[in-house]
Amino acid sequence: MSIKTDIAWIKEELDKVDDPDLISAFKSLLNYRERQSKISAFREERMEYAKRSEEDFEAGRTYSPNEALEELTKRLKK
C-alpha cells in the first residue's frame, strides 16, 4: 500500500470510530509525534548554535565577562 492509500483508509476508519478511549489513544499518538518533532527541531537549533559558538571561539570572536554584560545590556535596551 502507498502512504496515500493508507491515509485514505485511516480517514475512512476514523469516521467509523465512536469509542472515546480509542480517540484518546489516537490523540495521544499524534500529540507525541508533534512533541517529538518540536524536540528534534530544538536539538538541531541548539547543535547549530553550538557549532557557530565553537567557530567563533576558534576564530577569536570572544568577549570577556564584562564585555558580554555590556553587549547584553545594549541589546536589552533596544
Side-chain angles (χ1 to χ4, degrees):
M1 281 188 160
S2 73
I3 289 179
K4 289 186 180 213
T5 304
D6 287 342
I7 291 171
W9 177 80
I10 290 168
K11 287 179 179 180
E12 287 175 21
E13 292 301 309
L14 278 174
D15 285 338
K16 299 173 191 175
V17 174
D18 63 354
D19 179 352
D21 292 332
L22 188 54
I23 295 296
S24 179
F26 287 137
K27 285 174 67 176
S28 292
L29 284 170
L30 294 172
N31 285 331
Y32 174 79
R33 178 189 55 115
E34 185 176 333
R35 284 191 309 272
Q36 290 304 104
S37 176
K38 288 178 181 178
I39 289 169
S40 293
F42 177 77
R43 284 182 182 149
E44 287 178 28
E45 182 181 301
R46 294 291 91 201
M47 291 301 292
E48 182 60 33
Y49 179 79
K51 180 181 173 186
R52 285 193 319 267
S53 295
E54 188 174 318
E55 289 169 354
D56 285 342
F57 180 77
E58 289 173 357
R61 295 184 296 264
T62 60
Y63 293 103
S64 71
N66 287 339
E67 292 169 327
L69 182 59
E70 288 173 13
E71 182 65 26
L72 180 60
T73 302
K74 284 180 198 175
R75 291 181 186 193
L76 290 174
K77 287 181 180 179
K78 289 183 182 180

